[in-house]
Amino acid sequence: MRVLQSILASALILLTAASAAYAQAGTFSGRVLDQGDAVLPGVTVTATNVSTGVSRTTVTNAEGLYYMPGLDPGIYEVKTELTGFSPAARDRVTLAVNATITLDFKMQVASLNETITVSGDAPIIEVTQSKVASTIEQTQLENLPMITRSVSGMLALLPGASPLEPVHRSKENVGSVSYAGGSGTNMVAAVDGADNRDNRYGGPLLAYTTEALEQFQLATSQFSATDGRTGGAALTMVTKSGTNALHGSGFIFDRDRAMTAKDYFTRQAGANKVPFSRQQFGGSMGGPIVRNRAFFFGAVEQVYEDTSQTVPDRQFTELERLVTATNAGLIPKGLVNPNHGRFGPIPGEITLYTVKANAQLTNAHSLMARYAGQRDDRDAVTFSPSNDLREPENSTIRMWSAVGQHNWVLGNNGLNQITGQVNHMYRLSDVTSAITGEHYTRDFPRVAVFPPRLSFPTVNTGAGGAGGSLTDTYVIQIKDDVSLLRGNHALKFGGNFNALPNLGLLNANEHFPTLTFFDDPSVILSNSNGRYPQGFQTPGIVRQWQQANPVRSEDINYGAKQVMAWYQDDWRATTRLTLNLGVRYDLDLNFYDQRNYARNATRLVLEAIGNPYAGIPKTPTKDISPRVGFAWDMSGDGRRVLRGGYGLYFDQFNTGGAGDVSSQNKRPLNALATLTNTAIGVGQLATYRYTIDPLPAQPQEANTLPRGAAGQWLAPDLTDPQNHVAHVGYAHQLTATTAVSLDYTHSEIRNDLRSLNINPIVNGRRVLANDLQRVFGIPDVLSAVNIKSSINKARYDAMTVKYQQRASRVTIQAHYTIAGSYAYGGSTGSRGGASVPQDAFEPLARGEWGPTGADERHRVVAIGVFDLAYGIQLSPVFQAATPRPYNLTAGADLNADGNNNDRYIDPATGKQVSINAARGDKTVVLDLRSTKFFSLTGERKVGVFVELFNLFNRANFGGSYTGNARSSNFRLPSGGFIPGIGYARQVQLGARFLF
């Protein structure tokens, strides 16, 4: 069936294949006047792509307006002609991705047979659009120094964005970026008009080689109904196409251990440099198949990486104490990796490739087909410096996307465009034993369950709950867009349908037991706090035991679908005022696993005891998003524009955040059993003696919940998150190549996702114990019951000043942002929602409100490409930001509710701090590339360069600090860094050949 679906969808793509989607491509629009400022209807307007020779012709309407959507990004000549008037033209106008460029013409009565031509770039300011967007040009893609040379690395340089840890281990090479202080999931990505959003974890799905990208645009506020649904950001990318000339490139980058400085933790420990080697190479080629008609393009990129992450000295010392305890017989053998090192090796390789073909059949019809893929192999994707790498999780990913599009120009004032896509992701995340060499995920169920994880405040061993997973999922997409000019109204409307036949994965969730301790090994072994007179054999020192039954969790939503529709009206109400009016509708079907969720095992227990949370949530069917914006050309010449507006944005439910719920909907089911102590010697494990008493037995039930199971269910009123965004801004074009802007954005997030535990311990007994005893005869059918609910709230405010210069030899973008991102639970937009509150009955308590993990009060970014004399080019990237927050916890269950998430009590005040109350260190990083170009014959040239990363050699931890007060590493760096920034100083050598 799956093969048949793929064949049918591929056939559909071939039948509907066409040129770039107007939602991805650019638009020329404007008004044509005579010398007396009267409108001129019937003027022929022709836009010709200089590189390909492809032309588009239209005619002005009765209001003198013309409209040319669906044009590929590139350099154009735009010409107007009307009998009795001298032709007028704009030469070498740059049309960026997803840009609407307003070019007004004034035609003179013909006196001589000549054309009035104005040379120069397009206006930097879009005078008819209220959205806030930034673009990365091809020059910047090719020449800026990037530590990983990835799209996410470039996105983090734009206003409203900042680098972030990957939202999931499957995104190590795709990367994640925070938008509006969020957790990296609140972004919709589209490539060549096709969807590239990860519907399970959020953010982008497939990584693309930057060698294949023409440019991309990131819209962070007030984007239109056609651009997408989320309140975070809309990313629009367009891949390169061939031209009338054969052009191409080849590149190589190389750096190794000799060109890398010691990182902070290596210097602190006085150790040798960690192993490091990275090679990145590839190339591209494009050209004509038939001049002015058909073109081809292809690009490929390969990365080999042998990197390692340093283990901080305190973590290393705690792990060494566990090894010593094992050798002394105080801990059973096999539970600690005796070969844990000063660093954790994380080798990997990735191949990215893209092929594309375009055909301009007539002035009205064009075709495009594009195929892109990613082959991604990476070891130890879950490694953290606190882990002993006893059981690393190694990842194999195979992804591809096949896209076809058809553009049909409708007369003089319209365009219809159809997009078809099939994308596929296969991923095996295989947990292996460094001690025995066994492969758990690959060989399940023919392999024994791995030994317990030992978890302490500072370190842990083994894989724990991460038992590996298998993903094999498709997206089949069909989309239709229509663009029309009616009077003063530029209309865009359309619809989209996505079929997701098997959205999800098979997961060995919590197959391995985890024993969590109150204190670190050093404290237990030395009895430094007087609580461990018998060391590890002291009764009641295990805070929690947990383990699931050995059933592979079937966390798959079969038959999920998405339906979308939009209508956008860009109404040029006057010659200076444009109103951007839009509305969007989104419907997600079976994203809650509605086909199976009525038999969710936790829900059935809640229904049996008459609990109101047993209700079944309904599919959200009212996600109607209005968008209202304005752009006022204050000076009438496009040099000073005031813009603003309001929009309601509904985000989607990322199914990866409810995997535990979905796994209890199926039979056999996967469920986690727990036993908990609220303090040493207090609780269900009060008399348990580690290493003396046998471990609690692994639950074996397959069709019912094991005793003491962790409940997982959805709130009856669960709905999609909504984001109210208001914006006002001012843009001023200082010269033909320079502009500044000031923008303020305010967002109010409502119905955001958060987990609630409705069965906490109160006065030594769980809240639902009496009801469970009454119906089932035992009080502990369920332990904690986690309910995914739509109760959370968040707020984001930001003011950004941006400067940009776009000249022939200089390209500069610089911005400063002052912002604040706050949420209950200190998190917004995360795939699983904010974590459970400290007090289960007061999720919106004052202390629960705090900054999000990506909050940076001040952020400055400046990038530039400077072409100097003698073929020398300098390309700097500078980033600076104030410290990010992290959470302080007591490391003890102060309220004895069975959850060890109680916040730290400040000894100076005697009061409990609020969430994310501490701050890490500030960020400062300067990267620089210096290139020398050598001209060869014709248009061929080669550039040889050296890149310097983190010239100041700052650590840049961000918020990667230990917040557990019972950790020996409390309030110290935990071993992590800000991705793409937190690396030791490195030198990279490279070369680029262009022809």
Side-chain angles (χ1 to χ4, degrees):
M1 181 64 180
R2 181 181 301 155
V3 175
L4 178 61
Q5 289 174 329
S6 181
I7 293 173
L8 291 174
S10 300
L12 175 63
I13 285 179
L14 293 175
L15 290 171
T16 62
S19 69
Y22 82 78
Q24 304 295 298
T27 299
F28 283 129
S29 66
R31 190 186 299 269
V32 183
L33 307 173
D34 66 14
Q35 58 196 27
D37 289 338
V39 299
L40 286 177
V43 178
T44 300
V45 183
T46 303
T48 303
N49 188 306
V50 174
S51 297
T52 64
V54 173
S55 297
R56 171 84 65 81
T57 300
T58 189
V59 176
T60 59
N61 64 11
E63 286 76 25
L65 296 172
Y66 71 93
Y67 184 53
M68 299 175 110
L71 297 171
D72 288 338
I75 299 174
Y76 285 81
E77 179 185 85
V78 184
K79 186 176 182 179
T80 61
E81 297 174 294
L82 181 65
T83 303
F85 290 83
S86 296
R90 290 288 297 269
D91 190 28
R92 299 195 63 79
V93 179
T94 300
L95 182 63
V97 57
N98 210 18
T100 299
I101 299 298
T102 301
L103 297 177
D104 292 338
F105 291 88
K106 183 170 287 190
M107 302 184 70
Q108 307 290 329
V109 175
S111 55
L112 296 173
N113 186 21
E114 64 177 3
T115 299
I116 301 173
T117 301
V118 178
S119 297
D121 259 337
I124 297 178
I125 301 173
E126 295 187 27
V127 299
T128 63
Q129 297 297 307
S130 56
K131 70 179 177 182
V132 181
S134 300
T135 301
I136 292 290
E137 308 286 346
Q138 184 177 344
T139 299
Q140 296 164 326
L141 280 170
E142 291 181 352
N143 298 300
L144 287 176
M146 292 185 287
I147 192 73
T148 58
R149 202 170 183 268
S150 65
V151 172
S152 61
M154 297 296 292
L155 289 174
L157 301 176
L158 298 178
S162 60
L164 197 68
E165 284 288 335
V167 298
H168 186 260
R169 50 190 172 272
S170 62
K171 298 184 179 296
E172 289 292 335
N173 285 315
V174 177
S176 295
V177 179
S178 171
Y179 306 97
S183 301
T185 66
N186 57 340
M187 186 263 275
V188 289
V191 183
D192 294 329
D195 186 13
N196 190 42
R197 182 169 187 172
D198 186 337
N199 291 297
R200 180 168 178 81
Y201 300 116
L205 180 66
L206 180 69
Y208 285 79
T209 169
T210 56
E211 202 69 11
L213 295 178
E214 182 72 28
Q215 54 185 216
F216 57 81
Q217 181 194 79
L218 182 70
T220 54
S221 181
Q222 208 55 46
F223 42 91
S224 73
T226 62
D227 285 331
R229 63 188 294 181
T230 183
L235 173 63
T236 302
M237 300 197 299
V238 173
T239 57
K240 293 178 183 176
S241 299
T243 66
N244 276 330
L246 183 65
H247 287 294
S249 65
F251 64 89
I252 185 169
F253 301 82
D254 181 75
R255 62 185 187 269
D256 60 20
R257 181 178 180 181
M259 296 184 284
T260 303
K262 288 185 178 182
D263 64 59
Y264 171 86
F265 298 108
T266 304
R267 295 196 309 269
Q268 188 183 54
N272 295 326
K273 290 182 185 178
V274 300
F276 180 85
S277 175
R278 192 176 198 272
Q279 294 79 41
Q280 189 170 9
F281 54 90
S284 67
M285 181 181 291
I289 300 173
V290 178
R291 284 185 60 82
N292 297 334
R293 288 294 182 184
F295 314 92
F296 75 92
F297 176 81
V300 64
E301 179 175 333
Q302 180 74 45
V303 178
Y304 293 107
E305 191 171 51
D306 185 7
T307 62
S308 303
Q309 187 171 354
T310 306
V311 176
D313 196 52
R314 288 177 183 265
Q315 281 93 317
F316 179 83
T317 300
E318 293 290 350
L319 289 172
E320 274 296 286
R321 287 192 170 100
L322 289 176
V323 174
T324 301
T326 301
N327 293 335
L330 302 178
I331 294 175
K333 290 186 179 298
L335 302 189
V336 182
N337 181 3
N339 299 315
H340 78 92
R342 286 279 182 183
F343 59 86
I346 315 175
E349 64 176 271
I350 182 171
T351 305
L352 304 173
Y353 54 90
T354 300
V355 291
K356 185 177 181 180
N358 299 72
Q360 187 73 31
L361 303 181
T362 67
N363 186 54
H365 293 277
S366 57
L367 305 173
M368 184 276 281
R370 188 265 293 156
Y371 183 86
Q374 172 182 345
R375 297 175 59 87
D376 188 339
D377 298 292
R378 191 177 181 90
D379 290 350
V381 292
T382 58
F383 173 73
S384 74
S386 61
N387 185 254
D388 70 339
L389 268 182
R390 191 187 78 195
E391 288 141 9
E393 184 172 326
N394 304 327
S395 173
T396 298
I397 297 176
R398 301 291 182 265
M399 283 194 285
W400 54 262
S401 165
V403 175
Q405 299 167 333
H406 172 258
N407 272 4
W408 177 17
V409 178
L410 305 174
N412 291 318
N413 297 301
L415 175 75
N416 185 70
Q417 180 255 345
I418 298 176
T419 303
Q421 179 193 205
V422 176
N423 71 43
H424 174 244
M425 176 182 181
Y426 170 86
R427 175 175 174 266
L428 173 64
S429 193
D430 187 18
V431 174
T432 62
S433 172
I435 297 176
T436 66
E438 293 174 299
H439 291 252
Y440 190 81
T441 318
R442 187 193 69 185
D443 297 337
F444 179 86
R446 302 183 308 276
V447 61
V449 171
F450 284 176
R453 159 174 281 191
L454 306 180
S455 181
F456 305 90
T458 301
V459 295
N460 55 72
T461 72
S469 61
L470 177 65
T471 303
D472 190 2
T473 184
Y474 286 83
V475 175
I476 303 169
Q477 178 186 17
I478 184 71
K479 182 174 75 171
D480 186 43
D481 286 303
V482 178
S483 178
L484 296 173
L485 180 65
R486 290 290 181 263
N488 294 335
H489 299 266
L491 307 176
K492 297 179 182 179
F493 54 90
N496 184 92
F497 175 78
N498 288 346
L500 301 95
N502 48 346
L503 176 59
L505 50 76
L506 299 174
N507 188 7
N509 185 44
E510 301 284 355
H511 284 196
F512 319 139
T514 296
L515 295 174
T516 303
F517 295 83
F518 289 96
D519 289 293
D520 277 329
S522 58
V523 176
I524 297 172
L525 291 167
S526 66
N527 192 25
S528 58
N529 60 6
R531 299 172 180 169
Y532 301 94
Q534 297 164 262
F536 273 103
Q537 295 181 359
T538 303
I541 68 169
V542 174
R543 182 174 66 80
Q544 182 170 280
W545 164 87
Q546 64 182 42
Q547 189 175 16
N549 54 336
V551 171
R552 180 174 279 177
S553 167
E554 190 177 351
D555 178 14
I556 299 176
N557 293 5
Y558 296 101
K561 300 177 179 65
Q562 292 178 302
V563 179
M564 313 167 195
W566 53 86
Y567 181 88
Q568 183 74 26
D569 180 2
D570 295 335
W571 174 26
R572 199 160 180 177
T574 71
T575 56
R576 296 189 181 187
L577 177 64
T578 301
L579 299 179
N580 306 126
L581 310 173
V583 65
R584 181 182 179 89
Y585 178 72
D586 292 279
L587 176 64
D588 297 329
L589 300 171
N590 207 39
F591 269 50
Y592 297 166
D593 192 25
Q594 283 93 327
R595 291 184 178 183
N596 300 290
Y597 70 172
R599 59 175 186 158
N600 175 272
T602 297
R603 193 199 76 80
L604 294 176
V605 172
L606 295 176
E607 184 178 55
I609 64 175
N611 190 280
Y613 277 101
I616 296 177
K618 297 179 180 179
T619 299
T621 59
K622 299 179 181 180
D623 288 4
I624 301 173
S625 311
R627 321 273 171 92
V628 180
F630 70 90
W632 178 33
D633 184 357
M634 301 172 66
S635 56
D637 57 4
R639 298 176 65 86
R640 295 188 296 123
V641 176
L642 182 68
R643 59 196 180 194
Y646 161 82
L648 174 60
Y649 301 82
F650 286 91
D651 215 328
Q652 72 181 56
F653 182 80
N654 294 315
T655 61
D660 292 335
V661 176
S662 179
S663 67
Q664 290 194 14
N665 297 344
K666 311 297 194 306
R667 302 293 185 274
L669 59 81
N670 171 263
L672 177 69
T674 64
L675 296 173
T676 302
N677 273 355
T678 57
I680 295 175
V682 180
Q684 295 170 302
L685 297 166
T687 60
Y688 177 74
R689 297 167 300 172
Y690 178 61
T691 74
I692 297 177
D693 299 328
L695 284 173
Q698 180 178 19
Q700 297 297 318
E701 295 87 347
N703 296 313
T704 60
L705 290 174
R707 187 169 182 172
Q712 308 287 347
W713 180 229
L714 308 173
D717 58 351
L718 186 69
T719 188
D720 289 335
Q722 58 179 255
N723 196 335
H724 299 266
V725 181
H727 160 261
V728 64
Y730 171 76
H732 189 169
Q733 185 160 334
L734 304 175
T735 69
T737 61
T738 306
V740 295
S741 60
L742 175 66
D743 291 282
Y744 171 74
T745 299
H746 173 74
S747 299
E748 292 283 344
I749 298 96
R750 295 292 181 266
N751 299 336
D752 208 6
L753 195 64
R754 190 168 195 189
S755 292
L756 293 178
N757 176 16
I758 64 169
N759 194 28
I761 298 172
V762 177
N763 296 324
R765 188 173 176 84
R766 292 200 178 269
V767 169
L768 302 180
N770 291 341
D771 289 334
L772 295 172
Q773 179 78 48
R774 170 176 52 83
V775 175
F776 297 99
I778 53 175
D780 56 348
V781 175
L782 296 172
S783 56
V785 178
N786 299 308
I787 304 293
K788 299 293 183 182
S789 64
S790 298
I791 67 163
N792 221 38
K793 301 177 182 180
R795 187 187 71 221
Y796 175 73
D797 291 277
M799 185 173 67
T800 297
V801 180
K802 183 172 74 171
Y803 171 86
Q804 53 183 328
Q805 183 176 352
R806 189 177 62 200
S808 58
R809 299 181 66 85
V810 176
T811 301
I812 300 175
Q813 282 196 52
H815 73 267
Y816 162 73
T817 300
I818 179 172
S821 175
Y822 288 81
Y824 286 103
S827 175
T828 181
S830 61
R831 62 185 177 95
S835 59
V836 294
Q838 173 181 291
D839 186 337
F841 305 103
E842 293 191 56
L844 303 182
R846 185 175 180 179
E848 293 288 335
W849 180 259
T852 64
D855 177 65
E856 293 172 330
R857 182 67 171 168
H858 304 277
R859 181 171 175 80
V860 177
V861 176
I863 62 177
V865 179
F866 302 89
D867 291 318
L868 309 178
Y870 308 109
I872 296 176
Q873 183 185 83
L874 291 180
S875 306
V877 173
F878 175 76
Q879 301 177 69
T882 47
R884 294 186 178 188
Y886 65 97
N887 198 32
L888 297 177
T889 63
D893 188 0
L894 301 180
N895 61 3
D897 68 346
N899 257 337
N900 195 33
N901 64 344
D902 300 67
R903 296 186 301 277
Y904 178 65
I905 296 177
D906 187 347
T909 63
K911 295 181 179 179
Q912 200 168 48
V913 299
S914 59
I915 201 157
N916 285 346
R919 293 274 177 172
D921 74 331
K922 62 184 179 181
T923 298
V924 179
V925 63
L926 174 63
D927 301 333
L928 178 67
R929 176 193 282 192
S930 178
T931 306
K932 168 63 179 176
F933 288 102
F934 298 92
S935 296
L936 307 176
T937 58
E939 295 186 9
R940 294 183 298 169
K941 65 178 180 179
V942 62
V944 180
F945 53 82
V946 57
E947 293 180 319
L948 305 173
F949 299 110
N950 193 6
L951 263 67
F952 304 141
N953 202 27
R954 287 184 53 89
N956 295 315
F957 302 116
S960 296
Y961 282 70
T962 301
N964 188 327
R966 295 179 81 154
S967 168
S968 61
N969 206 53
F970 181 52
R971 305 196 84 155
L972 295 174
S974 60
F977 302 93
I978 298 177
I981 291 180
Y983 41 82
R985 182 171 52 237
Q986 297 179 21
V987 178
Q988 179 164 266
L989 303 178
R992 172 177 287 274
F993 172 63
L994 301 172
F995 65 91

